[in-house]
Amino acid sequence: MKKTARFNFFIKLTILVVICFCAVNILRLRGDYNHLLDQEKELLEEKERYEDEIARLKEDLLHDMDDDYIMRIAREKLNYYLPDEIIFFNDR
């Protein structure tokens, strides 16, 4: 009887240890899964921003290289202005 009780105790203890190990791993994997879902959401948002930027750049490429286009690009990208223009800066 004593050996059987001791054997049952070790079986129960082993099962408890295995269940605890599995529970800890399940919780850790769930945390990793949630982290990956958040990361996927951020990457999809970043991808969408890049796709919008690509669409805008493709649209710029389709425009004719007329004087208005060149002046707009010079103002936006290079901060160039005409010599007789007066530039006002606002701190707000």
Side-chain angles (χ1 to χ4, degrees):
M1 276 262 193
K2 202 170 192 183
K3 280 190 174 185
T4 312
R6 186 178 289 176
F7 183 71
N8 284 340
F9 173 74
F10 285 119
I11 293 293
K12 289 177 185 178
L13 183 64
T14 304
I15 291 172
L16 180 66
V17 168
V18 168
I19 289 173
C20 289
F21 176 77
C22 290
V24 167
N25 278 330
I26 287 171
L27 292 174
R28 184 181 56 82
L29 288 173
R30 183 65 179 180
D32 291 346
Y33 177 73
N34 289 338
H35 175 71
L36 289 173
L37 284 178
D38 293 340
Q39 189 176 11
E40 178 188 28
K41 182 180 175 185
E42 291 173 7
L43 290 173
L44 287 174
E45 289 172 358
E46 186 177 353
K47 177 186 169 196
E48 188 175 318
R49 283 193 307 268
Y50 283 128
E51 286 174 347
D52 292 343
E53 178 70 15
I54 288 170
R56 189 187 62 76
L57 291 173
K58 282 183 179 180
E59 186 178 310
D60 282 348
L61 284 175
L62 295 176
H63 285 285
D64 292 332
M65 295 291 175
D66 59 353
D67 289 338
D68 291 333
Y69 176 77
I70 293 171
M71 285 178 60
R72 183 175 61 85
I73 295 299
R75 286 176 192 270
E76 289 176 3
K77 306 286 183 190
L78 303 173
N79 292 326
Y80 285 177
Y81 298 98
L82 295 174
D84 57 342
E85 277 185 307
I86 299 173
I87 307 301
F88 295 97
F89 294 100
N90 188 353
D91 290 341
R92 289 192 196 193

